[in-house]
Amino acid sequence: MTSLDATVSPAEARAAIRRGDWPTTTTGISNGYAQANLVIIPETYAADFLRFCMANRAACPVLDVSEPGSFHPQALGESIDLRTDVPRYRVYEHGELVDEPADLVSRWRDDLVTFSIGCSFSFEESLIAEGVPVRHMAARTIVPMYRTRIPLIPAGPFHGSYVVSMRAMSPADAIRAVQITTDMPSVHGAPLHLARPELIGIDDIHRPDFGDAPVMEAGDIPVFWACGVTPQIALMNAKLPFAMAHAPGHMLITDIPNYRLKYR
C-alpha cells in the first residue's frame, strides 16, 4: 500500500486513492488542506437537502454543490473525480446501507447532485498548531462518532438527530479548543457539548456508533463537535430510493487551504 502522510499534496493523495493504493482513513493526510464529507442524491431532492443544510449548518456546512450529473467540483480543486477520489463510499437504497464500494463509477447517474460538506479534519490541524493534542491522530485511529438526542431542524424528507465527533482533552485544552474552532464555521465551528455525554444521549462513550474507540488519558473530558456523518442519518431517515455518501473517516481531500475557512 502506498504511504500517504501529512506532507503529500492533495493531488498526489487523490491519485493514490484513485488507483486503490490507499483504502483507509484520510486522517492526517495533506495537512493544510480541507477535506470534505460527501452526500450524493438525485436532483429531485436537492432543494430540500440544501434547505436542510442551511438550517443545520453546524452539522452540514456546505463547501460546494455540483451541477446535476457532474463529478468534477471545480470549486474544490483541479481534476477531482467525485466517483473515485474517496477511499470508501456508502450506497443507500430506501434508507438501508446496501454497499460500501471503493468507487462509484458503475453507479453514477446523470441526475446526481453532490453536496461537499466541511470536515472537522481541518480544525484538527489548527488545534495541533496551537499545541492542543488530538489523540486519535497520534494513534492513527478514526475519530469516534456518536448518535445523540440533539434534534435537527427538518426540511422536506430530511430529519433526525445530530451525530457528534469526540476528542478527549484536558479541561484547559478544551477551553482553548473552543476558542480556536469558534472562528471556523465552515468546518463545524465550536463544540456542541462538553464533559457529560449522558446529557445528549450517549450511554457508553467507549462504544461509538462510528469510527474507533476513543483514546483518553487521565483527567481528560470529552469534547463533542457536530459531525459530517449527520446527513447520512438524515438520508437514512428520508428513505430515498437511492443515495450515496462517503464512508465515515474516508474523505475527499480538496485543494482548498484551511486558512481560507477561517474568519479573518
Side-chain angles (χ1 to χ4, degrees), residues 49-61:
F49 189 73
L50 183 59
R51 290 192 297 109
F52 175 79
C53 291
M54 294 300 99
N56 301 282
R57 192 170 181 233
C60 309

Side-chain angles (χ1 to χ4, degrees), residues 27-112:
T27 301
I29 297 175
S30 301
N31 278 2
Y33 294 91
Q35 299 192 25
N37 307 277
L38 300 183
V39 172
I40 306 169
I41 57 177
E43 183 181 11
T44 301
Y45 305 100
D48 281 339
F49 189 73
L50 183 59
R51 290 192 297 109
F52 175 79
C53 291
M54 294 300 99
N56 301 282
R57 192 170 181 233
C60 309
V62 175
L63 299 178
D64 183 73
V65 182
S66 75
E67 292 292 327
S70 173
F71 43 84
H72 295 304
Q74 296 182 6
L76 301 184
E78 296 291 331
S79 303
I80 293 176
D81 190 326
L82 295 168
R83 306 169 303 171
T84 60
D85 292 359
V86 168
R88 185 155 51 96
Y89 297 85
R90 285 188 159 187
V91 180
Y92 297 96
E93 294 179 359
H94 302 286
E96 299 293 329
L97 177 63
V98 297
D99 196 11
E100 289 191 296
D103 69 70
L104 301 178
V105 173
S106 65
R107 294 181 178 270
W108 199 261
R109 301 178 355 187
D110 290 341
D111 68 331
L112 293 177

Side-chain angles (χ1 to χ4, degrees), residues 26-238:
T26 53
T27 301
I29 297 175
S30 301
N31 278 2
Y33 294 91
Q35 299 192 25
N37 307 277
L38 300 183
V39 172
I40 306 169
I41 57 177
E43 183 181 11
T44 301
Y45 305 100
D48 281 339
F49 189 73
L50 183 59
R51 290 192 297 109
F52 175 79
C53 291
M54 294 300 99
N56 301 282
R57 192 170 181 233
C60 309
V62 175
L63 299 178
D64 183 73
V65 182
S66 75
E67 292 292 327
S70 173
F71 43 84
H72 295 304
Q74 296 182 6
L76 301 184
E78 296 291 331
S79 303
I80 293 176
D81 190 326
L82 295 168
R83 306 169 303 171
T84 60
D85 292 359
V86 168
R88 185 155 51 96
Y89 297 85
R90 285 188 159 187
V91 180
Y92 297 96
E93 294 179 359
H94 302 286
E96 299 293 329
L97 177 63
V98 297
D99 196 11
E100 289 191 296
D103 69 70
L104 301 178
V105 173
S106 65
R107 294 181 178 270
W108 199 261
R109 301 178 355 187
D110 290 341
D111 68 331
L112 293 177
V113 174
T114 301
F115 290 79
S116 297
I117 294 170
C119 171
S120 59
F121 289 0
S122 290
F123 72 62
E124 288 177 341
E125 179 184 327
S126 294
L127 294 176
I128 292 170
E130 295 290 336
V132 177
V134 180
R135 307 206 191 288
H136 73 273
M137 291 187 68
R140 297 292 294 177
T141 59
I142 299 175
V143 65
M145 294 162 272
Y146 307 83
R147 297 172 185 259
T148 76
R149 290 196 299 262
I150 305 171
L152 295 158
I153 298 172
F158 302 102
H159 65 282
S161 299
Y162 276 85
V163 174
V164 293
S165 59
M166 189 280 285
R167 291 151 190 85
M169 300 175 178
S170 70
D173 284 339
I175 293 171
R176 186 70 184 119
V178 172
Q179 295 170 331
I180 293 166
T181 58
T182 293
D183 70 346
M184 302 184 74
S186 294
V187 287
H188 302 302
L192 293 183
H193 187 73
L194 302 171
R196 295 183 61 187
E198 70 276 7
L199 296 182
I200 57 173
I202 300 172
D203 295 326
D204 186 350
I205 200 169
H206 297 288
R207 298 182 63 185
D209 295 292
F210 310 98
D212 295 322
V215 180
M216 304 186 74
E217 296 186 0
D220 278 352
I221 62 171
V223 185
F224 299 95
W225 278 265
C227 176
V229 174
T230 301
Q232 295 196 36
I233 301 303
L235 282 181
M236 296 170 72
N237 292 340

